[in-house]
Amino acid sequence: MRIRLRPYHPTYIVGYYGMGSHRPSYNSRGFNEIIEKIKSDPEIEVEFVEEFDDICLKCERLVEDENGSVWGPRHRCGSSDDAELVQTLRAVNECVLGTLGLRYGSVIKLKDLVGLLRERIPLLFHDQIGGSAFQEKYEKGLDEIEKLWK
């Protein structure tokens, strides 16, 4: 099984995994479906994408739009309408990929990705990947998700 993720989402998935789920919100359906997929298949692969990923495509804020948006065809969301946020997300995504030694289109087993996250992103250096407010949840999530392979 494979999931498609934008680079800023794995740190959140790890933290929410450690919490047991994502609290109800506009994007909890996508996060919670991925958490369940991970639980059912710890050998899952992750493909890094620049466009709408498996979380975004389940978001309640996603709007059909025949013109698409910077994040992909046929849909748009509030983030795609905010030029400053688009620029920030692109920079954060590039930073995450560079730090992990990956690129868009890379496919990696979740187990290997979690190892890279622990090694190369021990601190959530930007609010778009959780920031200091999410650090404790992220660390707990790393510990919890690694139990899948022990």
Side-chain angles (χ1 to χ4, degrees):
M1 185 181 321
R2 181 177 295 174
I3 53 176
R4 300 172 73 247
L5 295 178
R6 294 169 77 182
Y8 72 95
H9 278 148
T11 53
Y12 285 109
I13 290 169
V14 167
Y16 295 137
Y17 184 94
M19 294 167 60
S21 68
H22 186 291
R23 63 180 174 23
S25 74
Y26 64 92
N27 62 358
S28 58
R29 186 170 150 221
F31 277 106
N32 289 332
E33 284 185 15
I34 287 178
I35 289 168
E36 290 307 311
K37 286 179 181 181
I38 291 168
K39 289 177 181 178
S40 71
D41 183 7
E43 297 305 313
I44 200 164
E45 294 179 327
V46 175
E47 178 182 2
F48 283 100
V49 298
E50 190 170 8
E51 65 272 6
F52 293 117
D53 65 5
D54 293 344
I55 295 166
C56 297
L57 290 172
K58 303 287 181 166
C59 181
E60 293 175 4
R61 293 183 179 171
L62 196 64
V63 176
E64 287 189 36
D65 184 334
E66 66 182 48
N67 296 319
S69 70
V70 297
W71 302 133
R74 298 185 305 278
H75 295 92
R76 66 176 172 76
C77 70
S79 70
S80 63
D81 297 332
D82 182 336
E84 186 176 328
L85 181 57
V86 168
Q87 183 178 16
T88 298
L89 288 175
R90 284 186 167 153
V92 168
N93 284 339
E94 290 294 334
C95 185
V96 168
L97 288 172
T99 301
L100 297 175
L102 302 170
R103 58 185 170 77
Y104 289 114
S106 292
V107 176
I108 184 171
K109 286 195 172 286
L110 179 66
K111 179 180 182 177
D112 297 331
L113 176 58
V114 169
L116 283 176
L117 289 170
R118 184 178 288 285
E119 176 188 327
R120 298 183 185 177
I121 305 182
L123 298 175
L124 300 177
F125 56 83
H126 196 281
D127 287 346
Q128 292 297 337
I129 63 169
S132 60
F134 200 67
Q135 183 69 38
E136 188 175 319
K137 294 174 179 88
Y138 174 66
E139 290 174 11
K140 180 182 183 215
L142 286 170
D143 293 340
E144 289 299 314
I145 204 166
E146 285 176 333
K147 292 177 183 177
L148 289 170
W149 304 289
K150 290 184 179 181

